[in-house]
Amino acid sequence: MATRSQLRKPFHKARTVDPRPITGRESPHDLLQHAFGAYVGRQERTAYELMRRSMEEDCSIFLTLSGAMTPAGLHQSCLIPLIERGIVSALTTTGANLYHDAHRIIGHAIREVNPNAGDLQLRLARVIRIYDLGFWEEALLDTDKLFSALMQGPDYQRKMTTPEFHALLGRDIARMEKALGVEQPSLLSQCWKHGVPIFVGAVQDGSIFLNAVKLRRLFPDTFRFEIDINDDVYAMAAVQHWARHNGSKRLAIWILGGGVPKNYTLQGEPLLDQILFVPTTGFDIDVQFCVDPVDNGALSSCPAGEGHTWGKVSVEAVEAGSVYVHTDVTAVFPWLTHALLSDAKMRRKPKRLLDRLAEAREFLDRDVEKNRRELLKTVVYPGTPTRHDPESTVR
């Protein structure tokens, strides 16, 4: 039986809680180190430390964003500054966040409203409410016109992935912003400018794509825009595979909220390893901010350990590179962004993964082709019809 002293050795090595009187002169870094010692505060401090580690290890950082974050301005306060400093390498979000971002660009204000004021009256006034934010219904109608006009451009009349689509939108909106003298640019234009690919895993669940549906019905012979879902999923895995074998060969995921953006990004790893038989290890660092409980089976709140069982994050992430911060993103992420950017060393050249999409796809294609014989064995099942003969179709 172990002695008391032996049992206490691990405890002796644990970090000492070291609170110090706050004077108002502390740097954000020092305040996080000494005033956030327990509970959600400790989770927040750990998130900051892992965000720093992501940069110090030169990880390709995949940031996911769910919820109505652009109406709240989180992109302009936090995400665009992180993108400009080269910190965010790839973004996965919802179509809604990209759509609502455009309201301000074309001159519509988003204002604070009382969430308890009465929705019946707001509807009569044609005010759209997102909890405690509001804007005129005309903001939606004008934004619909904007995206409808852009998508009729000749460059859009083909099948493409969501990063390719959003790069075209970013390019065109950047031109508009310059012509209009917009002071605070959009997330679309800044991602395009800095080479950050934008993935949207449920593009059909956003108003930008609803306008594409309208255009297809209006102009069935000339409107040829289409999202290639197959290539889109493959592109996510390809970018992760390319990043795993180039640069620092380290991957980090920062998850703001949960939802489809979280899983759409994480599933690139099991697609590689379990479906395509291309070895990978999962994300090396996993940081998530979410209010959801972790014990109801929801994917939005699933912790790194559960994700590891699916091959989404690495052993290292589970043991020393993961934190789940139980909080609202808007309550803590601006503060952590401030703490991170207050250090001049937290800057690097953008990785410009957007420019690597074709190269990444070819890189993965080569590894998939090597596995063709084994992969063909996975497309047949006893007692079911199949068109594929694993032996006769091997190249």
Side-chain angles (χ1 to χ4, degrees):
M1 181 178 293
T3 64
R4 180 186 296 179
S5 61
Q6 290 173 324
L7 291 171
R8 285 186 168 185
K9 281 183 180 179
F11 179 77
H12 280 300
K13 295 177 181 178
R15 175 177 175 146
T16 301
V17 178
D18 185 24
R20 301 177 185 180
I22 295 175
T23 66
R25 298 186 297 273
E26 296 83 4
S27 69
H29 176 84
D30 288 340
L31 194 62
L32 277 162
Q33 293 303 301
H34 299 289
F36 291 74
Y39 318 131
V40 176
R42 176 179 171 183
Q43 294 170 359
E44 189 176 347
R45 186 196 76 221
T46 303
Y48 167 70
E49 292 167 349
L50 290 176
M51 290 164 68
R52 287 186 62 93
R53 247 188 69 192
S54 300
M55 282 294 287
E56 290 163 356
E57 297 176 7
D58 195 30
C59 295
S60 293
I61 299 172
F62 289 71
L63 187 143
T64 80
L65 180 71
S66 63
M69 292 295 103
T70 57
L74 194 81
H75 62 308
Q76 290 178 334
S77 63
C78 300
L79 301 191
I80 291 175
L82 292 171
I83 289 166
E84 291 172 340
R85 294 277 283 262
I87 294 173
V88 175
S89 309
L91 174 68
T92 308
T93 186
T94 61
N97 271 320
L98 302 176
Y99 175 82
H100 291 303
D101 184 18
H103 300 336
R104 295 182 178 93
I105 303 306
I106 56 176
H108 287 282
I110 297 177
R111 305 181 188 280
E112 295 180 356
V113 298
N114 180 351
N116 301 311
D119 289 324
L120 299 180
Q121 290 78 8
L122 290 174
R123 179 58 181 166
L124 289 172
R126 287 298 191 262
V127 173
I128 309 295
R129 181 171 75 90
I130 304 175
Y131 186 56
D132 58 356
L133 302 173
F135 47 86
W136 300 122
E137 185 180 56
E138 286 85 350
L140 300 180
L141 304 179
D142 289 345
T143 304
D144 289 338
K145 293 177 182 177
L146 168 66
F147 286 113
S148 293
L150 291 177
M151 285 189 288
Q152 293 179 69
D155 289 352
Y156 294 82
Q157 306 316 310
R158 60 183 176 87
K159 185 179 286 191
M160 65 185 76
T161 62
T162 57
E164 292 170 314
F165 175 46
H166 297 124
L168 290 177
L169 290 177
R171 176 201 67 185
D172 292 345
I173 288 179
R175 292 170 180 167
M176 288 185 58
E177 290 170 350
K178 183 176 181 180
L180 295 171
V182 172
E183 294 183 3
Q184 287 190 297
S186 65
L187 188 59
L188 277 166
S189 69
Q190 292 309 289
C191 283
W192 170 77
K193 178 180 178 181
H194 295 280
V196 175
I198 302 176
F199 290 87
V200 170
V203 66
Q204 69 274 26
D205 191 31
S207 290
I208 297 177
F209 194 81
L210 297 187
N211 284 284
V213 172
K214 172 187 67 181
L215 292 169
R216 176 62 65 88
R217 289 297 175 273
L218 288 173
F219 311 113
D221 297 328
T222 58
F223 186 70
R224 297 301 183 191
F225 166 74
E226 187 176 345
I227 293 296
D228 191 325
I229 298 174
N230 193 308
D231 274 3
D232 202 71
V233 174
Y234 192 78
M236 174 65 83
V239 169
Q240 292 174 16
H241 184 53
W242 187 91
R244 174 63 71 193
H245 291 84
N246 292 272
S248 71
K249 305 178 181 180
R250 303 277 290 168
L251 302 180
I253 184 166
W254 297 0
I255 304 165
L256 307 186
V260 170
K262 172 183 178 177
N263 189 58
Y264 200 71
T265 306
L266 285 170
Q267 74 177 1
E269 295 295 290
L271 171 59
L272 289 169
D273 196 60
Q274 298 162 17
I275 305 298
L276 300 175
F277 295 170
V278 176
T280 188
T281 57
F283 282 88
D284 303 294
I285 293 175
D286 177 301
V287 179
Q288 181 170 4
F289 305 85
C290 191
V291 296
D292 293 347
V294 301
D295 57 356
N296 65 1
L299 182 59
S300 287
S301 56
C302 112
E306 184 178 331
H308 175 64
T309 68
W310 292 82
K312 295 176 180 178
V313 301
S314 68
V315 173
E316 177 188 348
V318 176
E319 292 180 342
S322 174
V323 65
Y324 185 103
V325 187
H326 291 79
T327 189
D328 175 7
V329 174
T330 62
V332 301
F333 200 71
W335 159 242
L336 291 178
T337 299
H338 170 66
L340 196 69
L341 298 187
S342 65
D343 184 345
K345 296 194 295 266
M346 296 292 109
R347 174 189 294 274
R348 63 184 178 184
K349 287 181 61 177
K351 291 189 177 290
R352 301 200 65 87
L353 294 182
L354 179 63
D355 302 339
R356 301 287 190 177
L357 286 176
E359 180 183 347
R361 187 179 298 111
E362 292 171 3
F363 183 64
L364 180 55
D365 282 345
R366 291 194 292 271
D367 281 345
V368 171
E369 185 60 30
K370 293 175 186 176
N371 298 334
R372 185 176 180 82
R373 182 180 294 273
E374 291 302 311
L375 289 173
L376 285 171
K377 297 176 183 177
T378 71
V379 301
V380 294
Y381 193 84
T384 61
T386 180
R387 295 181 180 180
H388 301 286
D389 182 341
E391 295 303 321
S392 64
T393 56
V394 172
R395 292 179 183 175

